[in-house]
Amino acid sequence: VDYLEPTDPLVMPALVMHGTSDDMVPIAQSRELAARHPDLVTLVETPTEQADAWAYDPDAYDAALLGFLGQVF
């Protein structure tokens, strides 16, 4: 999955929580997205697979989410 191509119209802040062991979407894509849009993309990496970021460290996940929402709203 390559979701980098349609990023030019990215105009709203985005929180990307990505497991570094994700075998479906390489972490490099999220890193590139964050590098292209450092003012809009907040990248949080966890040493997990694709859907396990929330379960790896629930307190850190909540803190990242609440921190992001606090910045946006």
Side-chain angles (χ1 to χ4, degrees):
V1 176
D2 183 355
Y3 59 81
L4 291 176
E5 203 52 43
T7 63
D8 288 340
L10 188 63
V11 295
M12 297 180 68
L15 174 62
V16 178
M17 303 192 84
H18 198 136
T20 57
S21 298
D22 187 335
D23 60 356
M24 293 190 71
V25 179
I27 188 67
Q29 288 188 9
S30 290
R31 290 175 180 157
E32 178 66 23
L33 180 68
R36 288 184 188 185
H37 301 282
D39 55 328
L40 294 175
V41 177
T42 299
L43 174 61
V44 177
E45 296 183 27
T46 57
T48 62
E49 294 181 1
Q50 58 190 2
D52 297 332
W54 63 272
Y56 176 73
D57 186 343
D59 292 334
Y61 184 92
D62 289 348
L65 179 59
L66 292 174
F68 174 78
L69 292 174
Q71 291 176 354
V72 174
F73 294 105

